[in-house]
Every structure is written in C-alpha cells, then in structure tokens.
Amino acid sequence: MKTILGSKWIKSTAFFVALTLVLAGCSTNKGGTEAEKTSGDKTEVSKPVEGGTLTFALATSPDKLDPGASGFAVSHRVFRNIFDSLIFQMADGSFQPWLATSWTKSDDGKTYTFKLRQNVKFQDGTPFNAAAVKANFDHVAAVTGQARSLLGPVSSSEVVDDYTIKVNLSQPFEAFLSGLSSAFLGISSPTAIQQFGDQYVKHPVGTGPFKFVKWTENDEITLEKNPDYNWGPPGADNKGPSHLDKLTFKIVPEEATRIGSVQSGQLLAAEAVPPQNIAALKNDAEIKVDQAATNGTAFSLYFNLHNEPWNDPKARQAVQLAVDVDTIVKTLYLGTYERAWSSFTPGLLGYDATLENRIKPDVAKANQLLDELGWKKGADGIREKDGKKLTLRYLDGSPNREKRNDIAAIVQQQIKQIGINTVLNITKDTNTPLLDGSYDLWGNSQVKADPDVIRNIFRSDKEFSKGGTNWARLADPEIDKLLDQGAAESDLQKRKAIYGQIQQYLIQKAIILPIYVFPYTVAHPKTVEGLKYDLLGYPLFYDVSIRK
C-alpha cells in the first residue's frame, strides 16, 4: 500500500507552462490576495478589498447545477464555486489534498483509501464525513452525467470510519484522481440530495466558498459568500471566506452585448471574447484579457464511419487533403487560436508532437484518391458514381459557438473544389441526427486533464445511442485494447506510447480532422483582481476582489 500526497505527471510539451496563458500583448492576470502598487523605487503591498458583487457573463446557460448529473462545461464553471472536491489538480499536473487530507492506493491499483478533513460542514449545516462521500458516489451511479464516466470502473465504496472511505475499482484506472479533482465530482450535501430529489439540479448545496441563492433560467444565477468557509484548495492565496459578497452569473449569448457590457461597466467580466475584439481590448488601458489553456481534445471534425463512402479511408483522406486548416484558423481566429494537429491538446499527457505539420493540403492528391474510387466529376463539377452525387452531410450546432458554423461554411467551399457537395445542417437539435446517424461529419471537443478523455469518444461500446460520444462510430478491437491499456497503465512512458499510437492511427486513417485548440478567454476591468484558472482552463473566483 502506497501513501500518496501528490501524484505528478509530466507535461509532454512546453505549451502548458503555467496556470494561465495570456495572449501576446494582453495583460497577465497573476491573481493573488494582494495588489502591488509601485511608487518610485518602492512597492507597496495592499490587501484585497472585501465585499462587492462580481457579475460574470456566460455565453451559454447551464443545463443543471447538480455536478453528478450535468455534462456541460458551462455548468462546471458555475458549480465549481458551490462545490469542493476531494483533491485538487495543480497546474503542473500534481494532485494535492483538499477535502481529503491524504490517500493510499493498493499495490494492484484497484483500491483507494481516503482520509477526510474534519470540522467541514455543508452549506445547509450537514456535516461532511465519509458517509456523505459514499452518498455522493451512490448518487453519481444513479444519475446520467459526465461524473459517471470520470469514475470509470469504480464498483463500490465503503465507510471505514467517520473520516475514512475506501473506494473499490474493478480494474486499475489511472485517470481516477484526475476525475476526482473535477467539479463534476464535487461533493454535494446528502441531505439536500434526499430533500430535493429530482429537483436537486436546481437546488445545489455543497461545501464551497459560495452558497446558491437562486437561478432564473436563461437569465442569471446568484450565489452569495459562505461565511464559514476556511478550507480553500491548494494554490489559493485566500484561506478564509471569499472576498466577494456575491457572485452573479448572467446568461448573455450575444457576443457584442457581452463585451460591450464589460466596456460600459454593466458587467465586471465576460467569457468567450471574440477574436475580432481581442486586439481592441488589449489596447484598452482599463481592460485585461485573460487566455487560459484548456486541456482535453482539440476541436476536431469526426467522420461517421458507418456511412458510405466515408467508411472508405481513401474518401476520408481526400477530404483531409482538401481542407486547408491553416487558412481556416488564421481567417477566423486572427492569430488568437492555435491550429490543432492531433486529437489531443498540446498540454495533455502523451500529446504526440510528431504529428505537427504532418498533413498539408494537396488538392491534386485528393482528386486522385476520389478518381481511384470511381467518383467522376459531372458537368456541374460535383462527382458522381452509380447515379449518385458525392455528398457529405455536415452537422453543426446553433448558435455559432466559437465560429464553428463559419468553419462548416469554409469546409463546404474548400471540398467543393474536389467535387464534393456539402449539405450543411445547422441546428439546435443535434441529438436527433447524432442518434439516427444522419450525418457524415460532426465537430466537437472535450475538456479533461487526462488522456483517458478519448476512451469515451473512440471505444466501440461508447456509441451516442448508448450514452457515449463515439461520434465516429469507430469499432476497432485494436483501438479498444489500446484505450483500455492506456486507462490502466501506471508507467508514465508506457502510457504516453499507448496514446501516441492512438493519435497516429486517428490521423493516418483520417478518422478525424483536427481544427483548433480552444483558449478560454475572459475580459474584465483591471479593478477585478485575483481571477485564476484551473488546469482545465476554468475560472476560479475564490481569490477575486474588486478594487475601488
């Protein structure tokens, strides 16, 4: 049995070198509990201002505020403030104690035993203890959400004593600690779960620095300071209650309104800064623009391998060679987004940098591949075979998140030059076509600080219709085997090699077309101090204060 106070994995590239990455030319937001003022040769240190309300504009609305039942990144950004987790994952990838003070891992990797903090209470007065943690594991197992996949092969949990809990896994799972650090596995009050039942999604109660007050759907979510809070996570400078009295999230889908509201002072911060606004904002003496690196999968286009002719690697490779990703990223994001080369983001363990610059546009080769498959250009320039037009059905969501609809329009034009007719389906209801398979290309990204993120995307038993996200409908026994090996492998170098093989396969077979790495951007006046970001790129408000 090995005692663990901090399990560390090393980054594969220098891309992710700090908690927050900031755009070139933008102000760096270091956060902290003290503001520095320079006067001549002296630096005066002032304490953060206590009180005030931070209003933060979200681009989309949460679906639920039960961490166990939600799967939305935007929900995570809200309930990270309401809920604490057992452990905290630092910027360097190490794991540090939070609600758990220490943990042990059995030699076979199938049992974790956690010692818990004492004298912690939920916001409703319920004591935090091992029974509460077990109730949370049981709750997650009973609902459908991102949290269940983060638990992986957890089979049961046992209360050893009031402040010790044992968690049993059916097989080793190296992503377990990373999952536990996520707010999707934030710890809820068992009293509140029982009291509110299926309405708990609208009445969240945790141990976090802010208490839930109200949620007006599609308008705003109001939180207030938890005055009893004094068990903040590692990496936080503040060790007592929040400096803020209130934290209010406003739902503002319109880009111009979000940014304009920050500039006018109606709101104090806004997420998802459009690329075209960044240049202007970084020249504004009153505004900071933060850019935090996200970890997980890059935004990529997934071929549906069940549909002809896209079940043929040559057809997919033709599209791969015809799509000029550099042009797409430079045109739409104006140098503010990085171009993606792999299914992984560069900061993720095992990222394969050898894929960079591997695939370059080659229209002649793309045409050759389609010729070899017997698709011939008709009088209108669109290829035909056996009386059928060569058509690609491109599915995308609405509204135009991160300019993804614009990507679809550019891809449509680029592959038209090799004789492919693209039918765009831009819809709010993407679930229906994803379920019935009436799409040939679909774009998405996932956030997670462990490479196991791709197991739910590419394992053959993870099809969308079965609650998974295997949008490519890939069913390859060798990939299944590698995904399972990667999830269980404890040797760092072996684990990297496994995920390197998978990344190479996905590009060589043209299963996906990686497009961009998403940076989480936030604009706020310089009077907002102490705003930090976690390893997933999500904002942390615990240290925030508002200078007057």
Side-chain angles (χ1 to χ4, degrees), residues 3-221:
T3 300
I4 305 170
L5 287 178
S7 176
K8 185 174 182 180
W9 46 265
I10 309 300
K11 296 295 179 187
S12 57
T13 77
F15 178 84
F16 193 89
V17 295
L19 188 66
T20 301
L21 296 183
V22 182
L23 286 170
C26 295
S27 301
T28 303
N29 182 7
K30 295 181 180 179
T33 61
E34 298 179 330
E36 295 184 353
K37 298 178 180 179
T38 302
S39 177
D41 296 328
K42 297 180 180 180
T43 299
E44 300 175 13
V45 179
S46 60
K47 292 183 178 180
V49 175
E50 299 294 328
T53 298
L54 179 72
T55 50
F56 189 95
L58 297 170
T60 55
S61 178
D63 60 337
K64 304 166 186 173
L65 293 182
D66 173 0
S70 177
F72 283 22
V74 65
S75 300
H76 189 291
R77 293 196 272 279
V78 175
F79 54 60
R80 174 77 295 170
N81 304 284
I82 304 170
F83 303 96
D84 299 325
S85 297
L86 292 179
I87 57 179
F88 187 85
Q89 190 164 15
M90 303 292 285
D92 63 359
S94 64
F95 299 103
Q96 299 295 331
W98 194 355
L99 290 181
T101 58
S102 65
W103 55 91
T104 60
K105 176 183 176 182
S106 63
D107 292 337
D108 65 3
K110 294 195 285 188
T111 302
Y112 287 78
T113 303
F114 296 89
K115 294 289 185 181
L116 306 177
R117 275 182 179 263
Q118 301 182 28
N119 301 318
V120 171
K121 286 188 176 182
F122 290 96
Q123 295 144 2
D124 61 1
T126 301
F128 167 78
N129 53 29
V133 176
K134 175 174 171 51
N136 272 260
F137 280 116
D138 293 343
H139 173 64
V140 168
V143 297
T144 299
Q146 179 73 8
R148 187 64 193 89
S149 66
L150 295 177
L151 287 180
V154 168
S155 56
S156 66
S157 58
E158 307 169 30
V159 174
V160 178
D161 58 43
D162 284 351
Y163 295 100
T164 307
I165 186 164
K166 181 187 293 185
V167 183
N168 304 304
L169 288 72
S170 59
Q171 60 192 53
F173 184 50
E174 282 301 302
F176 183 50
L177 294 182
S178 179
L180 286 183
S181 72
S182 168
F184 286 120
L185 287 173
I187 306 299
S188 290
S189 164
T191 302
I193 291 174
Q194 184 174 19
Q195 175 185 352
F196 292 107
D198 60 5
Q199 290 302 301
Y200 180 65
V201 295
K202 296 181 179 179
H203 300 277
V205 179
T207 63
F210 294 93
K211 298 190 292 184
F212 174 76
V213 177
K214 65 177 181 178
W215 178 11
T216 305
E217 291 192 46
N218 296 313
D219 182 17
E220 71 176 39
I221 297 167

Side-chain angles (χ1 to χ4, degrees), residues 341-499:
W341 297 97
S342 164
S343 54
F344 284 7
T345 58
L348 200 63
L349 174 73
Y351 172 73
D352 190 346
T354 67
L355 289 171
E356 295 177 5
N357 297 304
R358 176 78 63 82
I359 303 296
K360 296 181 179 180
D362 189 337
V363 172
K365 177 65 175 176
N367 277 313
Q368 178 186 330
L369 290 172
L370 293 178
D371 287 341
E372 291 173 1
L373 290 175
W375 291 96
K376 304 301 180 183
K377 284 188 177 180
D380 58 358
I382 300 302
R383 291 179 180 269
E384 299 178 7
K385 182 180 179 181
D386 299 329
K388 294 182 179 180
K389 297 279 190 181
L390 180 51
T391 300
L392 182 143
R393 295 169 297 174
Y394 191 129
L395 173 67
D396 197 31
S398 177
N400 191 10
R401 174 186 173 188
E402 297 156 28
K403 298 187 179 297
R404 294 180 179 181
N405 297 171
D406 299 325
I407 292 174
I410 296 176
V411 168
Q412 181 183 43
Q413 293 303 312
Q414 289 182 342
I415 64 176
K416 185 177 182 181
Q417 65 183 326
I418 61 169
I420 298 175
N421 175 46
T422 303
V423 175
L424 300 182
N425 180 11
I426 310 298
T427 176
K428 290 183 179 180
D429 176 23
T430 57
N431 280 357
T432 298
L434 287 172
L435 277 168
D436 64 26
S438 58
Y439 66 97
D440 301 313
L441 203 62
W442 154 256
N444 207 286
S445 60
Q446 295 281 293
V447 177
K448 189 178 181 180
D450 189 275
D452 183 64
V453 63
I454 63 171
R455 188 156 56 101
N456 199 46
I457 299 176
F458 293 111
R459 209 181 187 290
S460 61
D461 62 347
K462 302 295 184 180
E463 288 191 15
F464 193 82
S465 60
K466 300 174 184 177
T469 51
N470 187 351
W471 303 298
R473 303 197 175 193
L474 178 63
D476 187 322
E478 290 302 313
I479 293 300
D480 286 351
K481 181 178 178 181
L482 287 172
L483 289 168
D484 291 344
Q485 288 175 346
E489 181 57 63
S490 60
D491 183 280
L492 184 67
Q493 296 307 317
K494 289 181 180 178
R495 199 164 188 237
K496 285 183 179 180
I498 289 168
Y499 288 113

